[in-house]
């Protein structure tokens, strides 16, 4: 995205907004709540999904996987007998670094919206652009790992501002890291005052229940309560 | 970057190539070797720089820091008494997710090329787009952390193919992770056969000497030897 083409890119964003609203109308018509799951490569997006998708009381869940290439994450989710659709962003040029509303729109027909209550869209691993492209979602969740350092909210503020929930993942590694959790949470709150967060670990299971409860609440009410 | 605008984006890439060649000509005229340092947010790009910039025998080094926002990394490098220039990508719209040749070109006048032998450009944390935008560099180094998982070369192949050296960082954490290093290296070699790699740890100092030697070699010869 090049500075001298800002006007063109604004047009792109407008087109994206139009398509996002069309997606949202489809989701609402079918009473499907949609969560856009974002974060760095390796933050643990697929893992935090694996932890909860099999056990969401009263909620039928489907997953849309976005990756530059391959279907590794989709296969992990499919192994849990959860319906999953894969979008690869690579045919365009060298791989898009985010999902946009048009890509999600192209996947809608394969999503069987009538058979699910909650759709989780796992975005391409990236702390910048996914936050710029709404895809029709009702809520955004961002996963960061404590291995990424305390400074990330200050360096990638748009992503941290765009989310309704921040998952702080891999907290089992804290004893082995030079990472100050209080400082991270202070930076998070500075960038996005009052945003909800959950501290998680796939290894110990810490926080998994709170994360599951949050998804069930969102799926039930169709939006995030303050 | 939107599918329906591929043509426009190809024009952007051509403009980028022209500017990258202009940057390269400036660097060559001043006998400055330029390394483009890329990787995910939190992979440890600044830390691997901190480990070596003070002790590169016979090499005067300068650093160009690219971030969406802030100058946290630049301050860390400046504290080591290494000349550093900051580029922020945020004024454009919501933050560019990579450096491009034009941004680097705008920084060239402040770089004092006559006073350095090696310029390291630390790119924005991102495993996708930085690999698509050459900035005039002689070599590309990619940092991944073992906390990111073994599948990254398969999911972000362009980045892993674009680099001349892969730094595998935070290996001190291996005992606490479910990470198969052999598998990661197998995937790396599948995507980019024969690419050099160095296993690193800022905590134990493992690999720091090899990384320093690699930089000195590149700075001395102006390119990467096979």
């Amino acid at each position: 995205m090049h500075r001298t083409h800002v006007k063109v890119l604004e047009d792109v964003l407008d087109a994206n907004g139009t398509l996002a609203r069309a997606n949202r109308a489809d989701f609402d018509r079918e009473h499907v709540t949609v969560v856009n799951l974002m974060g760095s490569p390796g933050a643990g997006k697929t893992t935090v999904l694996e932890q909860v998708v099999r056990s969401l009381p009263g909620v039928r869940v489907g997953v849309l996987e976005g990756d530059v290439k391959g279907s590794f994450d989709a296969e992990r989710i499919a192994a849990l007998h959860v319906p999953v659709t894969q979008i690869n962003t690579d045919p365009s040029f060298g791989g898009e670094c985010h999902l946009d509303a048009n890509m999600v729109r192209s996947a809608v027909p394969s999503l069987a919206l009538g058979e699910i209550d909650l759709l989780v869209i796992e975005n391409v691993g990236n702390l910048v652009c996914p936050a710029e492209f709404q895809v029709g979602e009702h809520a955004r969740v961002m996963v960061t790992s404590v291995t990424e350092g305390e400074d990330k909210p200050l360096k990638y503020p748009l992503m941290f501002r765009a989310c309704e929930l921040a998952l702080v993942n891999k907290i089992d590694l804290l004893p082995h890291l030079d990472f100050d959790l209080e400082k991270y949470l202070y930076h998070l709150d500075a960038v996005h005052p009052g945003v909800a967060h959950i501290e998680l670990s796939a290894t110990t299971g810490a926080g998994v229940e709170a994360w599951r409860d949050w998804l069930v609440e969102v799926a039930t009410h169709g939006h995030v309560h303050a």
Side-chain angles (χ1 to χ4, degrees), chain A:
Chain A
M1 303 178 188
H2 198 277
R3 287 175 170 192
T4 56
H5 286 73
V6 169
K7 187 158 179 7
V8 172
L9 288 162
E10 283 172 351
D11 294 342
V12 170
L13 290 176
D14 282 342
N16 190 72
T18 303
L19 289 165
R21 285 187 292 276
N23 290 344
R24 176 66 171 267
D26 288 349
F27 299 144
D28 286 342
R29 189 183 318 111
E30 300 281 355
H31 306 289
V32 175
T33 306
V34 178
V35 170
N36 189 354
L37 184 65
M38 305 182 286
S40 291
K45 293 181 292 300
T46 311
T47 303
V48 303
L49 265 187
E50 284 176 315
Q51 289 175 288
V52 295
V53 286
R54 271 187 302 191
S55 55
L56 292 169
V59 176
R60 299 168 300 167
V61 64
V63 173
L64 180 61
E65 285 288 344
D67 283 294
V68 176
K69 197 175 170 69
S71 56
F72 308 98
D73 296 342
E75 284 156 26
R76 286 168 62 184
I77 298 298
L80 303 175
H81 307 290
V82 168
V84 58
T85 296
Q86 175 78 51
I87 297 179
N88 275 149
T89 67
D90 67 347
S92 317
F93 74 92
E96 304 277 347
C97 63
H98 58 272
L99 293 178
D100 65 27
N102 191 43
M103 296 178 204
V104 170
R105 188 136 199 83
S106 72
V108 165
S110 69
L111 287 174
L113 293 177
E115 294 162 28
I116 58 176
D117 309 301
L118 172 68
L119 174 68
V120 180
I121 301 178
E122 183 182 338
N123 220 305
V124 178
N126 183 337
L127 273 189
V128 186
C129 300
E132 295 169 8
F133 290 83
Q134 299 219 347
V135 295
E137 71 272 34
H138 299 83
R140 295 162 167 227
V141 175
M142 193 214 34
V143 190
T144 44
S145 152
V146 293
T147 62
E148 295 173 38
E150 303 103 355
D151 56 354
K152 293 301 160 295
L154 304 178
K155 291 172 74 176
Y156 302 90
L158 183 66
M159 177 63 78
F160 287 80
R161 264 181 218 132
C163 66
E164 276 83 30
L165 175 68
L167 296 178
V168 186
N169 199 21
K170 306 189 192 179
I171 58 165
D172 56 287
L173 292 175
L174 283 174
H176 314 294
L177 299 172
D178 178 23
F179 180 90
D180 184 337
L181 184 58
E182 289 306 308
K183 200 168 172 185
Y184 172 87
L185 295 175
Y186 180 83
H187 291 159
L188 175 63
D189 198 69
V191 167
H192 189 161
V195 66
H197 85 276
I198 295 171
E199 299 163 24
L200 265 179
S201 165
T203 306
T204 68
V208 172
E209 190 133 341
W211 163 225
R212 180 189 297 121
D213 290 348
W214 189 93
L215 275 176
V216 171
E217 171 85 9
V218 167
T220 308
H221 295 284
H223 60 85
V224 181
H225 285 281

